[in-house]
């Protein structure tokens, strides 16, 4: 599976936008992409979940793995614009406490210089 669309904002934040189903088939690709971005020096990452219609434990694992490597590199991984299904899964697993959803990609890092 090829990497998901990614772009860099003017503030130097990399935005990755997975689409469709983020399950055991797609999650390894996202995990590799997030690790490659951080390894390449991009420690501030936003995952735009506005086009992700489904997420399972594998998808959550990819996000947590990306969060871990970003924080180890001195940055952070944030999620933005999750769909209702994604929000429900985050709430059911209590991961909404670790991966707080932001309304928009542009506002995800507003609290940092």
């Amino acid at each position: 599976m090829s990497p998901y669309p990614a772009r860099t904002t003017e503030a130097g934040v990399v935005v990755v936008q997975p689409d469709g189903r983020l399950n055991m088939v797609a999650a390894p690709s996202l995990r590799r992409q997030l690790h490659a971005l951080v390894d390449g020096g991009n420690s501030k990452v936003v995952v735009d979940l506005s086009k992700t219609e489904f997420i399972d434990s594998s998808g959550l694992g990819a996000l947590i793995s990306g969060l871990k490597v970003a924080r180890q590199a001195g940055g952070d991984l944030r999620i933005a614009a999750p769909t209702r299904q994604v929000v429900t899964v985050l709430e059911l697993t209590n991961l909404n406490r670790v991966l707080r959803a932001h309304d928009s990609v542009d506002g995800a890092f507003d609290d940092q210089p």
Side-chain angles (χ1 to χ4, degrees):
M1 188 165 240
S2 62
Y4 293 105
R7 64 181 174 86
T8 304
T9 67
E10 290 180 16
V13 176
V14 177
V15 179
V16 178
Q17 188 176 43
D19 58 351
R21 300 175 65 83
L22 196 44
N23 57 17
M24 63 185 239
V25 174
S29 176
L30 178 62
R31 181 187 315 257
R32 282 190 300 272
Q33 185 174 6
L34 294 174
H35 282 244
L37 287 169
V38 174
D39 290 346
N42 301 295
S43 61
K44 289 185 179 180
V45 180
V46 175
V47 180
D48 179 352
L49 296 171
S50 62
K51 293 186 178 182
T52 303
E53 50 197 50
F54 176 85
I55 193 167
D56 67 7
S57 60
S58 300
L60 292 174
L63 293 175
I64 295 298
S65 178
L67 173 68
K68 182 179 175 183
V69 297
R71 286 188 175 167
Q72 287 174 339
D76 204 0
L77 180 142
R78 311 248 170 118
I79 60 171
T83 60
R84 185 70 222 149
Q85 192 275 340
V86 173
V87 170
T88 300
V89 171
L90 289 168
E91 289 172 350
L92 287 171
T93 58
N94 281 326
L95 285 175
N96 58 329
R97 296 178 181 177
V98 178
L99 289 168
R100 282 192 217 99
H102 298 270
D103 293 334
S104 71
V105 168
D106 296 329
F109 275 95
D110 277 353
D111 61 337
Q112 290 191 346

